[in-house]
Amino acid sequence: MDRAGLDEVLKRPTVWVCPGLLPAFSVSIHPMVAQLLLGHSRFKSEYFPAEEELFARLAGGVHEPLAMVISCCDARVVPDVIVNSQPGDLFGLRNIAALVPKFGAGHHRAVGAAIEYAIHGLKIEHMVVCGHTHCGGLRALAQGPVKLAAHMPSLAEWLGDAEQVLAHIRPMLAGVDDEELIDHLAYESVPLQLENLLSYPAVTWALSRGRLQLHGWVYDLSSGGLHGYVPEDNAFVPLDSAGRRSIVMPEPRLRELKRE
Amino acid sequence: MIKRETRKLVEGNLRFQSAVFEPQRESFEELLSGQAPRALYVGCSDSRVVAEMILDVVPGELFVVRNIGAIVPHAEDPSATSLGAALDYAINVLGVPDIVVCGHDLCGALGAIVEGTAPRGSHLERWLRKGSTEVEGFDLLDHTEEMTREQLVERFIATQLKTLTEYETVRLGLEAGRLGLHGAVYDPRSGRLRVAMPGSHTFIELKSPEQRSTLLPVVARTDAVSGAE
């Protein structure tokens, strides 16, 4: 089915009796999902055969990702697209606002499990926290989780962790207009999430053995570029091919751990 | 100082900027005003299973939660906050009409659940236990002998779908008829997707594009829950 054919289907009522192959089934086709399935058929017929060798290698049990990336659920921020990587390259954890709850917070478990598996199971050497500008989750935070609590208690609780981000920048808020603030939040959030990573035993274990490096990135939606955190300067710099400072050095606390 | 792995990622981003972002700058700028994704996708962290690629969507189309094993914890469990927050945001803020829970064959997490191989007391083990294996009297772990791994992952995903209905946001959406739940399993060996059929435990593979014009097996919106049983 081509785009035009799909458009025809989309105009029909949602309940659509499937003719032909499976007369017993009366299936409802939802337009949104129909488009996803159309996309999958493109993947299957075009991309998969073209990369046969790669997929065969991956299916053969090779799971050696270059890095683990903790990023946001935001549909516009696709890590594999942003770094133009291939399947098998990035082990991905995605949650609202790319947050890392402190170890022991109770709801840290989804993050904790992924970190442990990445470090002990996959022996991943690079862990990236990748926030982004225009983040809706951080916007909701800036607008006040209390307001959310009434009808979105889980979101309020989850963002409650990021209260430290807000507390961190509150003194700077005066005179900053909304959009500027939202963009700024990601740059404040990422270093704090890196710090929270240090509360996980698996992370400190790997750092102290020199087996892990932490990286903080912010993806800029308006340029497509990445900024990397430089702890020495407590600043972000554009990541570029020269790679001068494109790697985020362990911050002082991490270096102390390494000496242990 | 810069490691090869990281350089590869940074160089990838520069390639993305020049070969993807710049030529389509207008489309990317449209995204600045906000996102209106087609669906919420809950899938596994596994690096081999890239949702946006499998479904061939562009940035902005899919709101994505990824965790170990594509697990949906019980709603009242403390560890449910992470997914619960994403459900709140996707359903109430973005008005996403569909949720797809997608597992995959060769999943290490499911293997660890079935074989009980995760280190005792680890977060991983505790997290894996959040993935319900039992629904309405049928416990997956009682059937590991006679079921194939493919069948196990299908039933596992069906169980996660059922667990989704414990979340109030989801229940309200289903009751109002503005939300559909869908289950799928991706096979990294063939690149094919098996999709849950409504009203049964059956997952069926999508046929070739030509055949697809007469066969679009999508879980019926209101039947989705029964389809997950």
Side-chain angles (χ1 to χ4, degrees):
Chain A
M1 187 186 294
D2 55 17
R3 277 279 172 193
L6 178 74
D7 287 343
E8 269 310 299
V9 171
L10 299 188
K11 283 184 207 141
R12 295 176 201 162
T14 51
V15 176
W16 181 63
V17 180
C18 170
L21 290 178
L22 278 179
F25 284 107
S26 164
V27 290
S28 133
I29 168 172
H30 189 263
M32 297 296 187
V33 175
Q35 295 217 357
L36 294 182
L37 294 181
L38 187 73
H40 173 62
S41 81
R42 283 195 301 272
F43 164 77
K44 208 170 52 179
S45 58
E46 292 161 32
Y47 192 88
F48 195 89
E51 298 287 339
E52 210 177 350
E53 214 171 287
L54 168 70
F55 284 108
R57 189 155 44 83
L58 293 176
V62 179
H63 193 199
E64 294 166 350
L66 299 173
M68 169 173 178
V69 179
I70 300 173
S71 64
C72 184
C73 297
D74 195 302
R76 301 165 297 179
V77 184
V78 186
D80 306 79
V81 170
I82 292 169
V83 298
N84 197 233
S85 59
Q86 291 182 316
D89 283 346
L90 302 182
F91 184 71
L93 181 76
R94 288 176 72 175
N95 63 38
I96 295 281
L99 297 182
V100 179
K102 274 215 173 79
F103 181 81
H107 50 277
H108 66 286
R109 210 155 272 154
V111 179
I115 287 173
E116 284 178 7
Y117 187 66
I119 291 175
H120 295 301
L122 301 172
K123 318 265 186 248
I124 279 175
E125 293 173 356
H126 298 273
M127 195 170 283
V128 182
V129 175
C130 182
H132 66 97
T133 63
H134 303 75
C135 180
L138 293 177
R139 179 193 298 271
L141 173 75
Q143 288 164 349
V146 179
K147 258 199 311 197
L148 298 172
H151 64 300
M152 294 190 267
S154 298
L155 186 59
E157 193 190 332
W158 178 253
L159 290 176
D161 264 344
E163 277 280 18
Q164 54 169 330
V165 179
L166 202 57
H168 200 69
I169 60 156
R170 198 163 273 134
M172 314 172 210
L173 292 187
V176 178
D177 77 38
D178 250 4
E179 290 312 310
E180 228 177 292
L181 166 66
I182 304 301
D183 284 353
H184 190 67
L185 280 173
Y187 293 97
E188 290 299 333
S189 174
V190 166
L192 292 171
Q193 307 314 317
L194 288 176
E195 204 174 306
N196 285 355
L197 274 179
L198 298 179
S199 65
Y200 290 78
V203 172
T204 51
W205 179 89
L207 284 172
S208 67
R209 281 159 184 77
R211 293 188 189 176
L212 183 69
Q213 283 185 306
L214 303 182
H215 310 265
W217 291 355
V218 171
Y219 172 70
D220 184 349
L221 253 74
S222 59
S223 72
L226 288 168
H227 287 83
Y229 180 58
V230 184
E232 289 87 340
D233 306 339
N234 192 26
F236 281 82
V237 295
L239 298 185
D240 58 40
S241 59
R244 277 162 311 184
R245 319 188 76 170
S246 60
I247 190 157
V248 173
M249 299 296 292
E251 59 179 298
R253 271 175 65 192
L254 302 189
R255 264 185 258 131
E256 278 170 32
L257 283 167
K258 272 187 152 178
R259 276 204 299 270
E260 274 172 14
Chain B
M1 189 58 223
I2 187 164
K3 283 243 178 106
R4 191 172 47 83
E5 293 89 345
T6 329
R7 181 181 294 135
K8 192 174 166 189
L9 299 182
V10 171
E11 283 170 359
N13 174 249
L14 297 172
R15 213 158 50 232
F16 161 74
Q17 287 184 62
S18 59
V20 182
F21 193 96
E22 277 308 325
Q24 302 174 81
R25 181 169 267 283
E26 270 178 37
S27 308
F28 279 99
E29 277 173 355
E30 276 172 27
L31 293 176
L32 290 178
S33 56
Q35 54 176 330
R38 298 181 188 289
L40 162 64
Y41 168 99
V42 180
C44 186
S45 293
D46 194 303
S47 67
R48 300 167 297 184
V49 186
V50 183
E52 291 84 356
M53 188 175 286
I54 293 168
L55 299 171
D56 195 27
V57 294
V58 298
E61 288 193 286
L62 210 56
F63 194 73
V64 176
V65 173
R66 285 174 75 178
N67 64 38
I68 298 271
I71 283 172
V72 177
H74 286 293
E76 77 282 2
D77 192 278
S79 61
T81 313
S82 179
L83 178 62
L87 290 168
D88 274 352
Y89 195 81
I91 297 170
N92 296 329
V93 179
L94 300 174
V96 162
D98 288 280
I99 302 176
V100 181
V101 181
C102 186
H104 65 100
D105 295 319
L106 312 178
C107 180
L110 184 72
I113 291 175
V114 170
E115 289 154 17
T117 49
R120 284 217 164 265
S122 63
H123 274 91
L124 187 59
E125 192 225 357
R126 275 182 244 157
W127 170 253
L128 292 178
R129 263 198 259 138
K130 306 296 172 200
S132 329
T133 54
E134 187 265 325
V135 63
E136 284 164 9
F138 181 92
D139 193 337
L140 210 58
L141 297 182
D142 297 336
H143 299 267
T144 52
E145 300 281 299
E146 82 263 17
M147 286 170 82
T148 64
R149 274 297 160 87
E150 286 73 18
Q151 290 168 325
L152 283 170
V153 69
E154 289 170 4
R155 279 305 276 264
F156 183 74
I157 291 304
T159 308
Q160 308 315 302
L161 279 180
K162 186 73 185 172
T163 313
L164 260 188
T165 65
E166 290 174 10
Y167 291 77
E168 200 191 354
T169 333
V170 173
R171 212 172 47 240
L172 292 175
L174 287 172
E175 281 165 10
R178 59 184 156 78
L179 194 63
L181 302 187
H182 312 271
V185 173
Y186 171 73
D187 185 350
R189 293 161 298 198
S190 65
R192 289 166 190 271
L193 208 55
R194 306 194 292 283
V195 183
M197 293 303 291
S200 77
H201 300 135
T202 321
F203 278 63
I204 70 164
E205 196 179 287
L206 295 174
K207 302 298 175 190
S208 67
E210 305 79 60
Q211 285 172 295
R212 268 195 57 257
S213 58
T214 54
L215 177 62
L216 283 166
V218 181
V219 174
R221 296 169 68 71
T222 47
D223 291 350
V225 180
S226 57
E229 284 165 11

